[in-house]
């Protein structure tokens, strides 16, 4: 079983996000990064399936130099090797179509049985890249997956539907699965893992290696302006020392909202 | 020459997904500026009722696409059928609602057609000859205006609640069957019946007071801080998804699009950022209080009372004060 996991590096959860000067993205200075949450679950699922069935886990990530830190974390957790799409040309691929095209091109000859991605990333949240890869590579697909059972020539997965509904579906391999957060419990990298990661293959891929030009990856949609959303509701902010805040809030809840 | 706007109508077992009506409103908004005519398309089998329900809206046509291979939703079936329909109708825009089903097939469809797809939009406006979509990034913390520079059709999906379904203009549309050739379409997905997990042990929908905890609590060991507040209030404890994903609290205490939907008298959100998938499950609470250290957290957009600060300082003080007040 050869499983490839697509990882994206995104700003850490607790980052204070400020709009950049050009108002097209966030100000990336002083931001630290981590693996996008759903991708971390996808990696964990791939590692568990490999432990159960044998095989190989390959991680692939597109992004600047800093992305290596997340790639190395994946190797330390147990992935066998990594592909890093690192090229200024890739940085121009800012929509899902371009990102999906580049990753599909890089995986075309890998012969993966499964490709796993997070269901969407925590930054752009396009929720498209996994399926774009599936369509480009002619693979079957299932999205928002909460359980994976590998069979011979196929995979049976539990899909999350809306408001507490689920459905099992079976698709033939090779297949792309987009993984939902909470499918498993994440592991931490061990010291031994971190040490052995240093010896693992980390292949850098340039756009030219994939016969892709900047024109091929030109975004068809782009952010014209990024801004902090306007508040639609008048929130009454209560300020002061904790004890003062508590007293004022209790008063409000008792006499204005009448909740107790 | 492409023209018109096509709205994808989602149905399950012959019942209309109401968010499709919101998609019709979004399409009607675009049409009001561009002069395009809006039509809708429904796929499946036994969809006459859905088609006539939709035909009561102001639409040019409601196309129906019936085939045995569309009895059960599968991505291959929907991509195969819609690809032909869209090539035939050649619209300028295809509008969908951002549901789990749309997420499961639409990116394949747009890739097969070589078109761009703006997902999870919350608004749209027409600016000269361009259409500008608003979508949120970083889980609702930042809005972006997105401009499209692609050949039509341009695909866009709208987040649930972006437009009010009851604002769909009424009319009387003609229902027209559309023939597509499904013989070349291979369905790779085998589906099993849909199901719900075993009945929830806790029914939070009946709780008048809810204290909900999010990732701001940092670790399971800190949960007693919030539990003490809930106990003092006599409230049920609930959580955002990451808390349940980590198994710090059981799944049946999760609020949101993949958990329970509640409308209590009081919803006190502690260390919850207010992502849309959480908010849809609690926004109808009578009084919402949010405690969060980030003044920009989206939860404050829907809170009646906001406290910007460290929950580890505020919550214990509040617990004490409530105990005092209750005597
Ligand atoms: C298809 C899909 C379905 C989903 N379904 C659901 C669902 O049903 N329910 C759900 O909740 N989510 C759901 N999600 C996940 C959702 O998108 C968010 O990721 C999630 O709601 C975030 O949870 P949170 O607010 O607890 O965590 P975070 O977004 O990480 O927010 C933590 C907050 O705590 C604050 N904080 C940190 N430390 C402190 C402190 N000391 N004092 C005060 N505040 C502090 C931070 O400022 C931050 O705002 C779903 C996502 C997808 C894609």
């Amino acid at each position: 079983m050869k499983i490839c996991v697509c990882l994206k590096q995104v700003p850490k959860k607790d980052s204070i996000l400020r709009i950049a000067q050009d108002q097209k993205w966030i100000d990336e200075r002083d931001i630290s990064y981590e693996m996008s949450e759903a991708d971390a679950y996808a990696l964990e699922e791939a590692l568990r399936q490999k432990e159960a069935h044998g095989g190989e886990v390959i991680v692939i990530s597109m992004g600047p130099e800093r992305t290596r830190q997340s790639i190395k974390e994946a190797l330390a957790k147990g992935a066998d090797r990594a592909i890093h799409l690192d090229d200024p040309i890739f940085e121009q691929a800012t929509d899902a179509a371009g990102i999906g095209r580049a990753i599909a091109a890089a995986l075309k000859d890998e012969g993966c049985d499964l490709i796993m991605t997070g269901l969407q990333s925590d930054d752009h949240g396009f929720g498209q890249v996994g399926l774009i890869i599936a369509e480009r590579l002619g693979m079957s697909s299932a999205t928002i997956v909460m359980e994976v059972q590998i069979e011979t020539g196929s995979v049976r997965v539990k899909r999350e539907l809306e408001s507490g509904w689920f459905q099992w579906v079976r698709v033939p391999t090779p297949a792309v699965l987009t993984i939902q957060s909470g499918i498993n419990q994440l592991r931490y990298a061990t010291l031994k893992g971190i040490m052995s990661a240093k010896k693992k293959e980390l292949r850098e891929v340039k756009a030219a290696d994939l016969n892709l030009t900047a024109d091929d990856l030109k975004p068809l949609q782009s952010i014209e302006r990024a801004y902090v959303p306007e508040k639609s509701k008048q929130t009454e902010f209560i300020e002061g020392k904790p004890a003062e805040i508590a007293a004022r809030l209790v008063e409000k809840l008792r006499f204005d909202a009448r909740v107790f | 020459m492409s023209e018109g706007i096509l709205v994808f109508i989602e149905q399950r077992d012959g019942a209309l997904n109401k968010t499709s009506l919101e998609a019709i409103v979004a399409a009607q908004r675009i049409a009001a500026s561009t002069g395009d005519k809006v039509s809708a398309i429904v796929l499946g089998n036994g969809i006459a009722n859905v088609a006539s329900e939709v035909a009561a809206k102001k639409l040019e046509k409601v196309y129906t696409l019936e085939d045995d291979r569309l009895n059960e939703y599968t991505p291959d079936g929907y991509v195969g059928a819609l690809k032909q329909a869209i090539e035939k109708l050649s619209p300028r825009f295809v509008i969908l609602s951002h549901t789990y089903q749309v997420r499961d097939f639409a990116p394949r469809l747009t890739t097969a057609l070589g078109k761009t797809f703006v997902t999870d939009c919350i608004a749209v406006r027409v600016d000269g000859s361009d259409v500008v979509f608003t979508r949120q990034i970083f889980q609702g913390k930042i809005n972006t205006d997105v401009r499209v520079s692609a050949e039509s059709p341009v695909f866009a999906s709208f987040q649930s609640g972006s437009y009010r379904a009851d604002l769909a203009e009424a009319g009387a549309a003609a229902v027209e069957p559309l023939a597509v050739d499904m013989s070349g379409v291979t369905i790779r997905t085998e589906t099993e019946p849909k199901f719900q997990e075993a009945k929830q042990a806790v029914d939070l929908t009946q709780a008048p007071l809810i204290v909900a905890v999010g990732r701001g609590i940092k670790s399971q060991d800190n949960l007693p801080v919030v539990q003490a507040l809930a106990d003092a209030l006599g409230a049920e404890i609930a959580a955002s998804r990451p808390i349940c994903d980590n198994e710090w609290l059981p799944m049946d205490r999760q609020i949101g699009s993949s958990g329970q939907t509640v409308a209590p008298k009081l919803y006190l959100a502690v260390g919850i950022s207010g992502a849309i998938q959480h908010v849809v499950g609690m926004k109808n609470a009578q009084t919402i209080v949010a405690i969060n250290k980030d003044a920009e957290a989206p939860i404050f957009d829907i809170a009646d009372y906001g406290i910007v600060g460290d929950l580890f300082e505020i919550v214990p003080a509040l617990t004490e004060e409530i105990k005092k007040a209750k005597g």
Side-chain angles (χ1 to χ4, degrees):
Chain A
M1 180 65 49
K2 195 173 189 178
I3 308 177
C4 187
V5 181
C6 302
L7 293 183
K8 185 173 198 186
Q9 196 188 45
V10 299
K12 276 208 167 117
K13 282 260 150 40
D14 259 11
S15 307
I16 303 293
L17 303 175
R18 294 199 178 78
I19 307 292
Q21 197 87 50
D22 69 357
Q23 297 190 10
K24 303 234 186 265
W25 188 240
I26 56 159
D27 185 345
E28 293 192 331
R29 287 171 300 178
D30 304 328
I31 296 272
S32 29
Y33 291 85
E34 66 185 1
M35 216 182 274
S36 189
E37 183 168 39
D39 297 349
Y41 282 102
L43 170 66
E44 178 64 42
E45 192 57 29
L47 295 174
R48 287 178 186 221
Q49 294 299 339
K50 177 195 143 179
E51 281 152 12
H53 301 279
E56 186 185 18
V57 172
I58 307 157
V59 295
I60 181 163
S61 190
M62 183 165 135
E65 174 75 32
R66 60 169 160 77
T67 311
R68 295 233 159 172
Q69 180 204 333
S70 295
I71 293 175
K72 283 181 181 153
E73 184 190 336
L75 293 172
K77 283 183 168 188
D80 297 286
R81 62 185 167 92
I83 303 168
H84 183 194
L85 304 189
D86 183 10
D87 190 323
I89 290 180
F90 291 136
E91 279 170 56
Q92 293 175 35
T94 50
D95 68 355
I99 299 166
R101 180 169 180 178
I103 296 176
L107 293 181
K108 183 165 56 80
D109 300 321
E110 278 290 349
C112 300
D113 299 294
L114 288 177
I115 295 175
M116 295 193 194
T117 71
L119 81 169
Q120 65 186 57
S121 64
D122 289 337
D123 56 355
H124 278 291
F126 293 132
Q128 297 193 58
V129 170
L131 290 187
I132 291 171
I133 296 168
E135 186 63 28
R136 285 194 161 268
L137 299 181
M139 295 167 78
S140 67
S141 59
T143 58
I144 318 189
V145 168
M146 282 299 279
E147 202 174 327
V148 177
Q149 295 174 353
I150 289 175
E151 306 171 328
T152 317
S154 60
V155 56
R156 182 173 177 258
V157 301
K158 184 170 137 191
R159 293 192 55 226
E160 183 179 299
L161 308 176
E162 271 116 348
S163 39
W165 287 82
F166 295 91
Q167 182 176 37
W168 283 96
V169 303
R170 175 176 288 110
V171 289
T173 50
V176 172
L177 306 179
T178 79
I179 302 294
Q180 167 68 303
S181 295
I183 183 174
N184 48 40
Q185 295 300 307
L186 302 177
R187 74 188 63 192
Y188 292 98
T190 60
L191 190 62
K192 190 164 154 257
I194 295 168
M195 295 314 289
S196 66
K198 298 200 165 105
K199 290 181 235 96
K200 291 178 178 171
E201 178 187 316
L202 198 172
R203 185 158 55 91
E204 193 176 287
V205 172
K206 299 282 172 200
D209 300 329
L210 306 174
N211 291 321
L212 289 172
T213 62
D215 215 38
D216 294 328
L217 302 177
K218 207 170 92 196
L220 299 175
Q221 51 178 277
S222 47
I223 295 177
E224 174 178 79
R225 189 167 79 93
Y227 50 99
V228 176
E230 264 170 49
K231 300 232 180 291
S232 56
K233 187 165 177 172
Q234 281 302 335
T235 303
E236 186 176 340
F237 282 96
I238 303 176
E239 291 161 8
K241 295 207 174 65
E244 295 162 14
I245 292 173
R248 299 241 333 268
L249 179 63
V250 167
E251 208 180 275
K252 301 269 180 210
L253 293 181
R254 254 179 129 173
F255 301 110
D256 295 350
R258 294 174 185 280
V259 294
F260 64 90
Chain B
M1 187 50 203
S2 35
E3 57 176 25
I5 304 174
L6 187 66
V7 181
F8 169 75
I9 303 295
E10 180 169 331
Q11 58 87 23
R12 182 160 124 189
D13 306 325
L16 173 69
N17 184 323
K18 299 290 181 210
T19 61
S20 295
L21 299 177
E22 301 173 10
I24 291 178
V25 178
Q28 288 177 339
R29 288 289 159 83
I30 302 175
S33 303
T34 62
D36 278 291
K37 295 210 162 68
V38 182
S39 292
I41 187 163
V42 200
L43 279 64
N45 230 343
I47 52 175
N49 286 341
V50 175
S52 54
E53 193 177 343
V54 174
K57 303 299 168 196
K58 188 183 166 200
L59 297 166
E60 177 75 359
K61 270 179 190 155
V62 177
Y63 296 103
T64 55
L65 227 163
E66 294 194 81
D67 192 282
D68 282 346
R69 278 177 232 219
L70 300 172
N71 279 354
E72 267 289 326
Y73 162 76
T74 60
D76 289 331
Y78 272 46
V79 171
L82 283 169
K83 183 168 180 285
Q84 295 178 52
I86 287 163
E87 279 165 350
K88 205 175 260 186
L89 300 171
S90 153
R92 283 216 299 157
F93 297 98
V94 179
I95 304 296
L96 313 91
S97 43
H98 194 65
T99 61
Y100 277 49
Q101 185 181 94
V102 165
R103 298 169 64 119
D104 192 56
F105 77 82
R108 289 201 80 124
L109 172 65
T110 53
T111 305
L113 289 164
K115 301 299 172 190
T116 199
F117 182 23
V118 191
T119 47
D120 207 9
C121 301
I122 58 166
V124 56
R125 69 186 156 85
V126 177
D127 176 19
S129 60
D130 272 3
V131 172
V132 178
F133 297 96
T134 303
R135 66 186 303 276
Q136 300 192 303
I137 58 175
F138 295 103
Q139 307 200 315
K141 294 187 191 88
I142 290 175
N143 279 9
T144 63
D145 287 346
V146 173
R147 204 173 280 265
V148 172
S149 51
E151 281 168 35
S152 52
V154 169
F155 287 71
S157 67
F158 284 83
Q159 189 173 92
S160 146
S162 302
Y163 288 96
R164 276 177 49 190
D166 58 346
L167 297 182
E169 290 174 68
V175 176
E176 185 177 306
L178 198 68
V180 294
D181 177 12
M182 292 292 285
S183 62
V185 177
T186 312
I187 309 275
R188 289 170 286 187
T189 307
E190 267 175 54
T191 57
E192 296 177 32
K194 302 175 185 77
F195 64 99
Q196 282 182 294
E197 299 282 67
K199 181 98 188 87
Q200 313 269 344
V202 221
D203 183 7
L204 294 175
T205 60
Q206 301 305 317
L209 309 175
I210 292 179
V211 171
V213 55
R215 190 161 18 213
I217 195 71
K218 296 279 180 326
S219 104
Q220 187 168 25
D221 300 338
N222 296 332
L223 277 181
V225 176
V226 184
Q227 185 68 55
L229 173 61
D231 291 346
L233 265 172
E236 284 287 347
I237 195 150
S240 65
R241 182 167 180 133
I243 301 300
C244 303
D245 283 351
N246 283 319
E247 297 178 350
W248 296 350
L249 282 173
M251 196 20 223
D252 52 14
R253 297 207 173 254
Q254 182 179 314
I255 303 297
S257 61
S258 50
Q260 300 198 43
T261 301
V262 296
K265 267 174 81 173
L266 173 68
Y267 192 90
L268 211 159
V270 181
I272 291 179
S273 63
I276 179 68
Q277 295 88 359
H278 185 80
V279 167
V280 293
M282 46 67 75
K283 63 172 185 231
N284 291 324
Q286 250 171 58
T287 300
I288 298 172
V289 179
I291 302 174
N292 197 304
K293 67 172 187 188
D294 175 9
E296 303 287 339
I299 191 76
F300 287 126
D301 192 25
I302 56 153
D304 299 283
Y305 300 107
I307 297 166
V308 180
D310 183 353
L311 74 91
F312 296 105
E313 290 174 13
I314 310 288
V315 172
L318 188 56
T319 307
E320 280 318 303
E321 194 63 31
I322 287 165
K323 280 188 189 155
K324 247 197 285 174
K326 286 193 152 182

